[in-house]
Amino acid sequence: MNKYNSLFAVFSVFLIVNISCKQSPFYSASDFEKVQKIDVHFHYNTPDIRYLQFADSLNFRFVSPNVDAEMPIDEQLEIAASLKNQFPDQFTFLGTFSVDSFNNSGFAEETIARIDQCMKAGASGIKIWKNIGMTLKDTSGRYVMADDPAFKDIFRYMEANKIPLMAHLGEPKNCWLPENEMTLDNDRRYFKNHPEYHMYLHPEAPSYQDQLDARDSLLRKYPALNVVGAHLGSMEWSVDEIAARLDRFPNFYVDMSARIGHLQYQALTDREKVRDFMIRYQNRIMYGTDMAVDEADASFVAVANGLRNRWFEQWLFLATDSMIEVKDLGGQKVKGLQLPREVIDKIYSRNTEELFKIKNRK
Ligand SMILES: [Zn+2]
C-alpha cells in the first residue's frame, strides 16, 4: 500500500465511523421505551403500585391530577400523597378543592386552607374542573365562571406562592354542536351518553365562547399564575386558536390529553401546519393522555397493555412519520408528525419537569 492508498484507507474509515455515529434528528418507533417520558394528565386513582412499576419499565412517569368529581377528593388526596411518599421521583400529583361550599361565607379561606393541605401532602399544583363554568351557580342562579371575583383571593394566593394551576375549563367545541356536525367519533359517543353535558341541548348555559372568554380573563387577571390549559385549553379544533392564546399569555401552557385525535383530524388536511405549530410552541405544550387506573380495574395485565398501546400509538404519531389509522376518524390514516428529538424531549418531559419542579432523570 503506498502512502496515498493508506491515507485514503484512514479517511474511509473515518468517514464510515462518522456517518454511522451521526444521530438521526428524529426518534424511531424502537426509541419509545428508551426515551424519558411523563404523562402529565394521568388519573392514578388506586394505591396499586404495579402501574407505576409498569410505567417505569417504559420510562414513563406520571402527573396525576385530582378532580372535583366522582371519587371523594379526600380519598384521591390520600392515595396520591401515599404514592408520592413512596415514589417521590416517579409520581407527581395535583391537588384540588371542592366548590360545594361556594355560596357560603368563608369559601375563599377554606379553599386556601385546602390548597395548603394539598401542598403539604406533596402536591405540585392544583387542578380546577369544568364544573366551574358549566354547572356551578351562585345564589341568584347565575353560572359561576372561572374569573369570578369570588376566586380572587384563592388565585392571588397561588400566584404569591408560585403554585401552578391546571384548568380543565369548558369542553371541546363539538360539545356545542349537534351530533351530526361533530368531528370525532369519541365526542359523538361521549355526548350521546352524557346528554347533561351536551351543551347544544342546553342553550341557556354559557356558550363555548363564554368559556374561552372566562379562561382568557383568568389568564389576564393573574399574570403570575402559571396555567396549564388541560385538553389543549378546549381549543382542540384549531391550532391557530391555541397559538393566539399562547402568544397573548406568557403564563399559559397546554396539555394534549384526550385531544390528540383533534390534532390528527387537522393533520389529515394540513399536516405541515400542525407540525409547525408543535415546533413553534415546543416550550409550551405537554404530553398527556387523560387515561385512568382505579381500584375496580379487574385485570392488571389487560389494563397495562391498554396503557402501553395508547402511549405507543401516540408516540408513533408525534415522533415518527408512520401512517396511523385513527379509529375515531372512521379509520382514516394520518401520517405521523415526526417532530425533531429536542421537540419530543420538551413535550414529553422537560416542559412538565420545569413547570411542576420535577427532578430531571437523565
Ligand atoms: Zn382528566
Side-chain angles (χ1 to χ4, degrees):
M1 212 189 269
N2 68 29
K3 196 168 93 183
Y4 294 104
N5 275 349
S6 57
L7 249 181
F8 179 72
V10 168
F11 181 69
S12 308
V13 168
F14 170 76
L15 205 70
I16 289 162
V17 169
N18 197 27
I19 287 170
S20 56
C21 286
K22 192 154 181 351
Q23 210 182 32
S24 155
F26 309 111
Y27 286 121
S28 67
S30 63
D31 290 320
F32 166 71
E33 294 190 5
K34 287 176 241 161
V35 175
Q36 286 295 326
K37 301 172 291 299
I38 299 176
D39 188 331
V40 75
H41 195 136
F42 187 97
H43 298 285
Y44 207 110
N45 290 331
T46 169
D48 187 342
I49 62 168
R50 287 178 298 169
Y51 299 104
L52 268 162
Q53 293 164 334
F54 175 71
D56 193 28
S57 74
L58 303 173
N59 277 310
F60 250 113
R61 288 174 286 163
F62 294 118
V63 176
S64 177
N66 288 178
V67 194
D68 183 19
E70 292 163 26
M71 200 173 170
I73 62 171
D74 285 334
E75 202 179 324
Q76 294 179 52
L77 180 60
E78 196 183 316
I79 291 174
S82 158
L83 291 171
K84 173 76 189 174
N85 201 15
Q86 298 172 70
F87 302 91
D89 295 334
Q90 216 209 322
F91 181 85
T92 304
F93 74 97
L94 310 179
T96 195
F97 56 85
S98 161
V99 293
D100 287 350
S101 64
F102 179 82
N103 287 309
N104 302 350
S105 64
F107 169 71
E109 294 93 283
E110 256 173 51
T111 301
I112 288 170
R114 167 77 191 183
I115 291 172
D116 272 342
Q117 183 197 353
C118 295
M119 299 310 287
K120 282 198 188 103
S124 297
I126 295 294
K127 164 152 181 186
I128 58 172
W129 197 54
K130 67 182 178 186
N131 51 354
I132 299 172
M134 296 188 82
T135 55
L136 178 64
K137 290 181 180 169
D138 67 14
T139 45
S140 61
R142 269 193 309 253
Y143 284 92
V144 175
M145 308 304 284
D147 63 336
D148 194 283
F151 294 116
K152 186 175 149 198
D153 290 348
I154 299 165
F155 293 139
R156 286 264 176 266
Y157 181 81
M158 290 177 65
E159 270 189 313
N161 290 282
K162 299 193 169 32
I163 300 171
L165 175 73
M166 179 182 274
H168 172 177
L169 296 171
E171 277 290 57
K173 196 182 176 197
N174 280 339
C175 173
W176 280 268
L177 297 176
E179 201 187 307
N180 64 351
E181 286 177 34
M182 294 185 190
T183 47
L184 265 75
D185 289 345
N186 54 334
D187 286 342
R188 240 169 258 136
R189 256 190 327 266
Y190 179 81
F191 292 116
K192 200 171 185 164
N193 293 332
H194 296 276
E196 73 277 21
Y197 292 132
H198 186 187
M199 288 299 125
Y200 175 73
L201 306 174
H202 308 282
E204 75 290 352
S207 67
Y208 175 68
Q209 194 57 46
D210 291 336
Q211 302 294 345
L212 296 196
D213 289 348
R215 192 273 323 280
D216 289 351
S217 152
L218 171 83
L219 291 165
R220 197 176 303 111
K221 282 183 174 170
Y222 309 100
L225 180 67
N226 282 325
V227 179
V228 179
H231 314 310
L232 293 171
S234 293
M235 298 170 294
E236 69 297 322
W237 62 280
S238 163
V239 293
D240 290 335
E241 288 281 321
I242 309 169
R245 289 351 184 270
L246 293 173
D247 286 342
R248 204 177 307 155
F249 304 110
N251 55 332
F252 191 44
Y253 301 76
V254 289
D255 85 35
M256 322 166 53
S257 66
R259 301 293 183 267
I260 292 178
H262 290 268
L263 294 176
Q264 292 170 326
Y265 177 75
Q266 292 167 76
L268 279 177
T269 46
D270 201 343
R271 174 180 177 268
E272 283 315 299
K273 184 176 181 175
V274 176
R275 188 170 190 271
D276 291 346
F277 163 80
M278 301 292 288
I279 293 172
R280 177 141 191 229
Y281 297 97
Q282 58 185 272
N283 296 323
R284 316 280 292 281
I285 302 171
M286 297 162 185
Y287 176 79
T289 60
D290 205 17
M291 291 194 289
V293 287
D294 57 59
E295 288 186 77
D297 290 339
S299 158
F300 166 75
V301 175
V303 173
N305 278 334
L307 301 180
R308 189 192 188 282
N309 290 345
R310 179 77 61 86
W311 281 328
F312 183 60
E313 191 183 283
Q314 298 185 339
W315 171 265
L316 292 179
F317 175 65
L318 295 167
T320 78
D321 62 356
S322 324
M323 293 302 293
I324 294 128
E325 192 179 303
V326 186
K327 269 193 240 104
D328 288 324
L329 294 172
Q332 292 183 85
K333 284 191 174 158
V334 64
K335 189 176 175 184
L337 299 178
Q338 198 177 44
L339 298 169
R341 278 170 186 257
E342 321 81 75
V343 177
I344 290 290
D345 288 340
K346 285 182 181 177
I347 291 175
Y348 268 94
S349 60
R350 288 233 302 280
N351 297 341
T352 298
E353 285 169 352
E354 275 169 32
L355 195 80
F356 292 112
K357 312 257 181 301
I358 299 170
K359 222 185 346 188
N360 181 289
R361 256 195 162 182
K362 272 183 186 159

